[in-house]
Amino acid sequence: MSDPHILLTGVRLALGMPRQDMLPEYHKWENDARTILGYGNQWAQAWEVRAAGWERQRGNDRYQQFEVVRLEDTTPVGMTILQINTFVRTAEFVIVLAPEARGKGYAAEATRLTLDWAFHLGALRMVWLKVLEPNRAGITAYEKAGFRRSGRLRKSGYWLGQPVDEILMDALPEEFPGPSAVPTAIGHWPTTTQR
């Protein structure tokens, strides 16, 4: 396995570039039963479908992926994704954590780091997500990261085979719960130009 290419560092986690040699591990996380439940899906995705989609996703500038890396040992623990609408400068947020990384507070930090990148480097105006209403842990993590509830899609998802509402949440740059990790990542950046 190649070493992670770190892009933005937080307290316990960092965002890095996704790695093709990690694709089997990403596929495993995405097909964990709890991940399938959380996304409201019903079926696992075949390896061939996931592998075929890798190049397509990597070549799509509207589909920005980050590997979430634990800083203490550089172990990958998840992925975050921004599905960008370039016309209106917004994005849908998606996260998946490795099963063994859940319940440790990583979702909130990984979400916050991704919002930091989205607003302070990606110049997005708004980031939004959908979460199934029974997913209380997810809702709590998103709220800690700066998302606010903004709506509801009634009976639009499934949880354990039963129709449930999806909660819409959004985040705006002016509501970002600072401080930003971006200044540290870019180092000293002059605010005025010298002539």
Side-chain angles (χ1 to χ4, degrees):
M1 175 173 38
S2 60
D3 290 334
H5 176 164
I6 301 298
L7 299 169
L8 191 62
T9 302
V11 177
R12 296 187 300 159
L13 302 176
L15 297 182
M17 294 291 294
R19 296 174 280 168
Q20 188 167 12
D21 60 347
M22 282 293 299
L23 194 55
E25 196 67 16
Y26 303 158
H27 182 254
K28 189 167 76 173
W29 301 341
E30 293 160 354
N31 287 289
D32 176 75
R34 288 177 294 168
T35 303
I36 291 170
L37 173 66
Y39 285 156
N41 297 337
Q42 285 81 44
W43 314 108
Q45 182 183 61
W47 165 252
E48 294 78 9
V49 173
R50 182 62 170 104
W54 170 259
E55 289 302 325
R56 206 171 42 253
Q57 290 171 349
R58 297 304 305 143
N60 182 352
D61 63 352
R62 295 180 183 187
Y63 194 84
Q64 293 298 314
Q65 301 176 47
F66 299 97
E67 182 178 81
V68 179
V69 177
R70 186 171 52 220
L71 287 171
E72 72 180 44
D73 57 6
T74 66
T75 298
V77 295
M79 294 278 297
T80 62
I81 300 160
L82 293 169
Q83 297 177 40
I84 301 167
N85 181 331
T86 57
F87 299 108
V88 293
R89 307 288 314 151
T90 64
E92 180 179 5
F93 174 79
V94 178
I95 186 172
V96 61
L97 288 179
E100 62 276 7
R102 295 177 187 148
K104 299 179 180 184
Y106 292 162
E109 185 175 356
T111 300
R112 189 177 172 288
L113 280 169
T114 306
L115 287 177
D116 198 358
W117 185 286
F119 296 145
H120 302 121
L121 289 170
L124 296 180
R125 294 185 311 118
M126 186 268 289
V127 178
W128 64 278
L129 62 82
K130 294 186 296 185
V131 58
L132 296 170
E133 187 171 36
N135 186 354
R136 304 271 189 252
I139 292 169
T140 299
Y142 300 141
E143 288 175 338
K144 284 181 183 175
F147 278 95
R148 294 185 182 181
R149 295 176 195 224
S150 58
R152 172 183 301 270
L153 298 172
R154 295 179 296 162
K155 305 294 183 206
S156 61
Y158 282 91
W159 184 268
L160 298 174
Q162 299 300 312
V164 296
D165 293 357
E166 286 182 287
I167 304 301
L168 295 172
M169 303 181 81
D170 62 17
L172 301 173
E174 57 268 25
E175 297 169 353
F176 180 77
S180 171
V182 171
T184 302
I186 62 174
H188 174 69
W189 193 263
T191 55
T192 59
T193 54
Q194 296 179 355
R195 296 183 184 199

